[in-house]
Amino acid sequence: MSKQIAELEDLDSALAACARGNGQVVLVEGPIGCGKSELLATFAERASSSGAVVVSTAGEEYDRDNPFNTLRRLSSAAVPIEVPAIDEGGARAELIRRICKDLLDGRGDAPLVCLVDDLHYVDAASLEGLLYLIRLTRTAPVLVVLSQTAHFALLDSGFSTELLRMRNVRPIVLSRLGHREVAEIVSGYPELAARAADHATEFGRVSGGNPLLLRALIAERRNSVGEVPAAGGPFAQAVVTCARRSNWDGLRLAAAVAVLGERACPERLAELIGSTRSAVAQALAALNASGILDGTGFRHPVGRTAVVDNLPRSELSALHRRAAGLLHQTGALPQLVAQHLVASVANEAEPSWVVDVLRSGAEQALADDNPRYAARLLERAHAASPDLLLRGQIKTRLAAITWRLDPALSERHINDAFDTLKAADATEQSVWPLAQLLVAHGRIANAIEIRNRALSATEGASPADDIVGSFAGADVPHLATIAEPHQFALLDANVADVERFLESTSLAGPTLPGIVQAVAALARSHDPQRAVRWSHTLLEESALRNARGWRFVFTSMLAFALLRLGDLRGAEHYSLQALDLVPGGRNCVFTYSAVATLIRARTEMRDFAAAAVEVYQPMPAQLFRSIHGLNYLRARGRYLAATNQLHAALGDFLQAGSMMKQWNLDRPVICPWRTEAAEVLSRMGETEAVEQLVLQQLSTPDARHPWIRGISLRMRAAISHPRKRALLLQQAVSELRRSGDRVELARTLADLGVALQEVEDPVAVVMSQQAVGIATECGANSLLEDIRHRSPALRRVEPNLAPSLGVVDAANARLSESERRVAALAALKYTNREISRLLHVTVSTVEQHLTNVYRKLHIEGRRSLPANLELYTVDFA
């Protein structure tokens, strides 16, 4: 480089003057990495070639505590001598004179060139010896060349002052490279020539013109096709070297700058590392001179990362801890202070302000949609808090937050919170968030227990069993959500109102419980297809936000809604997908609603072996204290009934009923345990018990729901006289057509077919054919098997796949009862003459009805007729 040529010429000039008998001193100064050592090495070769006697050495970090180390190495290069470890008095001065005399005597008639690199590391005793040698240059042909890093204080501050007093000292100041010089170097590499200008600009900016950093960048670019500079690469390593060698505390100060970030300033940095402002200012100047820093910021993030990664973990932790205290004292925002606290190792005894700062920081992280970081801050707050009650409250908050991320972890947190607050003798107010959270997770028994425990500590208070009712109007700003639809506040709401709520509400932590309640209400409404649509929409949004817990919620709800529709394969698919989102989920209570959906789907599909795998898994201890256990009991009971384990099935249904009564949640729309038990009792011949259970269910407000009314009427028909049975089943079919539950509709149609067969009604086979068609479409193999084995006549029934219920409902609404009957039989391939005989009307009447049907449904002929039209519509008083 042209600059080094000029500097070598200066050194050659000094050597020429020395050869004439005029001793010289040259002080080379510049930032670390700017070529000082290279310059001295090149000049040493030139001086030796000219006939001068050259001795050289360099200061090392370990010299600082070892007197005469540097001088010993320098003298040994000329005349090997034994240097005693003398550190004071006349012996010290005598040793210095001996070494210098030996150096001069060893030159003969040639000039003596003494080169000492890295003067800033030279021990104080050796500096004293060098100063004595330098004084000899006034009368002897000696050239002393010293190099030191700019802004790096020497161990003996008087040395620099003495040099200033001498007239024969020549300074050579090295500086960083300018843009032209960087471009010149970059253009020398053929592989970089195509984009030399771009590389020169970028490399000059990142390296600050430091030759060492520039060479590292070029080497990294030549050997990498990825992003340059990269963490841990040559540039990162060069930054650490420069920081470490730029000053006594260079690496530590650079780490302090990295820790404080935008808050870094000389005053704060001095307080942070426990140094003086003047020392910090000098060290900052060194780091800026080397090109690592630009002011109080790193030129490139990789440099910052490299410095932090190379500081011992204990030192970095201590810096973060001190930074937290410093920023807290100066009134910094809690989230900023919390960043440093969570980056440091916790102390056994934390200051009282630490927990408050961490909790405030967590809430801000939530507001910034960063739940992972919020959970991390709360974990640290929990570890820092000595107060049992506060620890329980923090765990409650953790459970709510981590539900979005890891449902299994959320359950562990809620268990910890429950145990902690029980042990803390908490008040009702302090357990309220936990009780709300337990209800939202379906753990009703735990919610009742924790609230009653708190109430018992309040004078005049009495235990409360209606835990859900007590929360009906509660403001729950941060309530975690549930794994399966069992929130009840919106079950009786109008479907249109529910959808308006969903359309106007964005998905977030505080709104999640309400959204879940709304989708759950749709799933249990007469139109579960709406729940399917909303579940898909919310599932996509949850996936975009990487919220695994939310994905589990809506995947599980989607599976449940599909089960309600009779899409058994879809219910099985999404139940498995939901469970895959929670590794080891069979150990967690909240997954058992998804497990219940899976068992029910497989049971209806007659895949008993696969259902048994889930039924006979070990269960969590808390399962039957939750709604999830209620759903599981119903599913297991249906499996047991399907496999003829009737007494065990009855026990599960009755246990479910007992749980619902205990929790004051006895609503058939949540779990119709009475009709489930009645089904088993009917098979056991217990007619009176069946009638009692069915009448109880029909007397509940939920009997207004088409689904509850339909399944209740079906069970009432099972114990009625054959002629009345057909009438009740016709009414049940009418209700179930409006409920969205195709499997129950098919089951009831099959019962109606049998009932009509008993009274020799010719429409019996039509009902059975419709049942087979719907059951086949749903994949309800258990029902198909039951239909085809109930009588020899039904075994010959072939499936007639039905269109969607939406099409059927539209057709039913437009047609009169007579038109509906004719159209239904025509769709089932009956001729006009056969229809006239079945319905006791003329062929002409049949033709007229069909003409009206085609016109009203906008179809061309009987091939387009829906095959699932209602044959009967009977009002029930």
Side-chain angles (χ1 to χ4, degrees):
M1 291 181 290
S2 58
K3 286 181 67 175
Q4 193 171 85
I5 292 173
E7 290 145 359
L8 284 170
E9 289 176 351
D10 287 345
L11 288 168
D12 287 342
S13 173
L15 179 59
C18 176
R20 294 192 298 271
N22 299 319
Q24 300 289 309
V25 179
V26 178
L27 179 61
V28 180
E29 188 173 24
I32 188 71
C34 288
K36 300 184 297 298
S37 298
E38 184 181 352
L39 178 64
L40 264 64
T42 302
F43 176 66
E45 293 176 1
R46 292 164 71 111
S48 181
S49 298
S50 70
V53 174
V54 180
V55 293
S56 64
T57 190
E60 302 289 349
E61 287 190 60
Y62 62 82
D63 288 345
R64 289 180 286 184
D65 300 321
N66 295 281
F68 292 107
N69 252 22
T70 310
L71 198 59
R72 179 192 297 114
R73 289 196 301 273
L74 187 67
S75 63
S76 298
V79 180
I81 59 173
E82 290 293 328
V83 180
I86 301 174
D87 190 31
E88 59 184 355
R92 176 183 180 127
E94 178 59 28
L95 175 61
I96 290 173
R97 284 193 292 272
R98 268 189 60 205
I99 293 173
C100 291
K101 182 179 183 301
D102 288 340
L103 285 170
L104 289 172
D105 291 346
R107 71 180 178 82
D109 295 329
L112 174 64
V113 177
C114 296
L115 303 173
V116 181
D117 198 7
D118 288 338
L119 189 66
H120 44 276
Y121 288 134
V122 175
D123 61 276
S126 293
L127 285 175
E128 187 179 343
L130 287 174
L131 193 58
Y132 183 85
L133 181 63
I134 288 170
R135 291 194 183 102
L136 295 178
T137 61
R138 297 170 181 170
T139 58
V142 178
L143 171 59
V144 178
V145 181
L146 309 170
S147 84
Q148 70 173 18
T149 298
H151 310 291
F152 203 147
L154 303 183
L155 282 174
D156 183 355
S157 58
F159 185 91
S160 300
T161 304
E162 286 296 320
L163 291 184
L164 292 173
R165 296 170 58 189
M166 296 179 181
R167 294 183 178 181
N168 63 337
V169 176
R170 299 188 184 191
I172 293 179
V173 179
L174 301 181
S175 60
R176 289 178 282 147
L177 305 174
H179 178 74
R180 181 180 60 81
E181 293 155 324
V182 171
E184 180 183 340
I185 294 172
V186 171
S187 62
Y189 295 89
E191 56 267 58
L192 303 180
R195 295 184 55 209
D198 292 340
H199 287 315
T201 300
E202 178 65 11
F203 289 177
R205 181 186 66 81
V206 174
S207 69
N210 182 313
L212 176 61
L213 298 180
L214 176 62
R215 287 197 296 271
L217 282 170
I218 292 173
E220 194 167 347
R221 177 73 284 167
R222 294 176 68 194
N223 297 311
S224 174
V225 295
E227 187 176 349
V228 170
F235 174 79
Q237 296 170 27
V239 166
V240 173
T241 298
C242 288
R244 183 175 279 125
R245 296 178 66 85
S246 66
N247 201 274
W248 299 115
D249 259 345
L251 183 61
R252 189 160 170 262
L253 179 65
V257 171
V259 165
L260 282 177
E262 295 179 357
R263 295 257 173 175
C265 65
E267 294 78 12
R268 274 201 195 97
L269 288 167
E271 191 168 351
L272 185 59
I273 66 172
S275 183
T276 64
R277 292 187 182 183
S278 59
V280 165
Q282 189 173 25
L284 278 175
L287 292 170
N288 273 274
S290 70
I292 297 173
L293 296 184
D294 183 7
T296 54
F298 284 82
R299 288 184 176 272
H300 196 277
V302 166
R304 179 190 182 279
T305 302
V307 165
V308 169
D309 287 348
N310 279 271
L311 197 70
R313 296 293 94 185
S314 58
E315 290 187 37
L316 182 62
S317 174
L319 281 177
H320 277 294
R321 174 163 288 281
R322 286 198 293 274
L326 177 61
L327 293 173
H328 178 67
Q329 290 173 6
T330 57
L333 293 174
Q335 55 266 36
L336 182 60
V337 179
Q339 289 175 8
H340 295 289
L341 287 171
V342 80
S344 65
V345 176
N347 286 341
E348 289 186 6
E350 297 277 16
S352 57
W353 57 267
V354 166
V355 175
D356 292 337
V357 165
L358 288 167
R359 294 178 75 190
S360 296
E363 295 307 320
Q364 184 58 50
L366 277 180
D368 296 337
D369 200 30
N370 191 351
R372 292 186 185 278
Y373 183 57
R376 188 180 176 192
L377 292 178
L378 286 178
E379 289 277 17
R380 179 63 182 275
H382 180 266
S385 174
D387 181 76
L388 194 61
L389 177 60
L390 185 56
R391 287 167 66 87
Q393 292 171 332
I394 293 172
K395 274 290 184 179
T396 301
R397 196 76 182 95
L398 262 171
I401 292 170
T402 54
W403 174 251
R404 171 178 173 177
L405 309 170
D406 184 346
L409 177 60
S410 175
E411 182 160 294
R412 289 196 292 273
H413 285 315
I414 205 171
N415 289 339
D416 290 344
F418 182 76
D419 293 340
T420 301
L421 289 176
K422 277 206 313 182
D425 291 327
T427 63
E428 181 184 7
Q429 183 177 3
S430 60
V431 304
W432 187 255
L434 175 60
Q436 291 174 314
L437 188 56
L438 287 165
V439 169
H441 275 268
R443 294 172 59 169
I444 308 302
N446 288 141
I448 293 171
E449 180 183 350
I450 194 67
R451 189 174 180 222
N452 284 346
R453 191 179 185 91
L455 285 169
S456 66
T458 305
E459 186 176 353
S462 58
D465 291 328
D466 189 6
I467 192 76
V468 176
S470 67
F471 292 145
D475 178 19
V476 189
H478 299 290
L479 200 58
T481 187
I482 53 174
E484 199 271 343
H486 59 254
Q487 290 283 355
F488 320 118
L490 295 176
L491 282 178
D492 301 318
N494 181 276
V495 167
D497 291 339
V498 173
E499 289 210 288
R500 275 193 290 272
F501 166 77
L502 288 170
E503 289 165 357
S504 63
T505 307
S506 58
L507 180 60
T511 62
L512 190 60
I515 289 173
V516 171
Q517 290 184 34
V519 178
L522 292 177
R524 295 179 184 274
S525 73
H526 65 275
D527 191 0
Q529 187 62 48
R530 296 175 189 251
V532 171
R533 184 174 65 251
W534 277 105
S535 293
H536 276 299
T537 299
L538 295 162
L539 184 55
E540 289 174 6
E541 187 172 349
S542 300
L544 287 174
R545 297 177 66 177
N546 197 27
R548 186 156 55 100
W550 294 359
R551 286 172 60 199
F552 172 81
V553 169
F554 294 117
T555 305
S556 180
M557 295 186 74
L558 175 58
F560 177 80
L562 291 172
L563 182 68
R564 278 278 287 114
L565 281 168
D567 183 353
L568 303 177
R569 299 178 190 88
E572 179 188 40
H573 171 77
Y574 284 105
S575 293
L576 289 170
Q577 196 174 94
L579 292 169
D580 284 344
L581 290 168
V582 188
R586 304 310 196 280
N587 297 321
C588 303
V589 168
F590 59 83
T591 63
Y592 272 79
S593 285
V595 171
T597 299
L598 181 59
I599 293 171
R600 287 178 58 191
R602 286 176 168 173
T603 299
E604 293 290 357
M605 290 191 293
R606 202 176 175 77
D607 191 353
F608 296 144
V613 170
E614 301 300 332
V615 168
Y616 296 112
Q617 289 272 358
M619 293 169 290
Q622 291 286 342
L623 178 59
F624 297 121
R625 297 174 64 80
S626 73
I627 291 290
H628 310 290
L630 186 69
N631 296 329
Y632 176 78
L633 282 171
R634 182 186 178 204
R636 188 175 70 180
R638 291 183 72 94
Y639 163 81
L640 293 171
T643 54
N644 294 313
Q645 302 175 68
L646 299 184
H647 287 91
L650 181 61
D652 278 353
F653 297 138
L654 295 179
Q655 183 181 350
S658 176
M659 290 164 59
M660 295 182 77
K661 291 177 180 178
Q662 181 182 352
W663 300 337
N664 198 26
L665 293 177
D666 192 6
R667 291 195 59 178
V669 75
I670 299 170
C671 176
W673 65 272
R674 290 179 178 83
T675 45
E676 303 284 15
E679 179 92 35
V680 174
L681 289 167
S682 177
R683 291 170 61 183
M684 296 169 68
E686 300 290 341
T687 304
E688 292 183 6
V690 172
E691 183 174 18
Q692 183 180 3
L693 289 171
V694 170
L695 291 176
Q696 285 178 4
Q697 186 155 290
L698 282 170
S699 67
T700 66
D702 280 353
R704 293 171 297 184
H705 194 292
W707 179 58
I708 298 301
R709 189 175 176 83
I711 61 176
S712 301
L713 289 173
R714 184 179 77 82
M715 284 313 306
R716 190 175 185 187
I719 57 173
S720 300
H721 186 275
R723 290 203 171 273
K724 186 177 181 182
R725 184 181 307 149
L727 179 63
L728 290 170
L729 287 171
Q730 290 165 11
Q731 295 162 357
V733 165
S734 181
E735 294 289 346
L736 288 169
R737 285 188 192 278
R738 298 189 296 116
S739 75
D741 191 331
R742 292 185 296 167
V743 172
E744 283 300 326
L745 174 60
R747 184 172 283 113
T748 307
L749 283 168
D751 287 352
L752 180 56
V754 173
L756 292 174
Q757 183 183 9
E758 290 176 353
V759 295
E760 299 181 352
D761 190 318
V763 182
V765 70
V766 178
M767 296 294 99
S768 298
Q769 188 166 1
Q770 286 193 358
V772 170
I774 298 172
T776 302
E777 186 181 50
C778 293
N781 296 325
S782 290
L783 178 56
L784 281 171
E785 188 74 13
D786 179 61
I787 293 172
R788 287 171 172 163
H789 286 81
R790 291 171 79 175
S791 71
L794 294 180
R795 292 177 193 171
R796 296 191 296 272
V797 175
E798 296 299 326
N800 189 319
L801 295 184
S804 69
L805 288 178
V807 174
V808 175
D809 289 343
N812 284 331
R814 293 175 191 159
L815 305 179
S816 68
E817 182 178 339
S818 298
E819 291 167 346
R820 216 166 16 245
R821 291 184 181 184
V822 169
L825 292 169
L828 294 173
K829 314 305 181 190
Y830 285 86
T831 67
N832 289 0
R833 187 169 299 281
E834 289 171 332
I835 294 172
S836 70
R837 284 202 305 270
L838 286 170
L839 299 182
H840 307 289
V841 295
T842 66
V843 173
S844 174
T845 301
V846 171
E847 292 172 349
Q848 290 176 8
H849 284 327
L850 285 175
T851 300
N852 292 336
V853 169
Y854 301 154
R855 175 177 53 79
K856 290 181 179 181
L857 299 184
H858 307 292
I859 59 178
E860 295 181 357
R862 66 173 63 209
R863 275 195 238 177
S864 303
L865 285 169
N868 199 17
L869 292 167
E870 290 186 29
L871 281 168
Y872 294 92
T873 55
V874 183
D875 293 331
F876 180 73

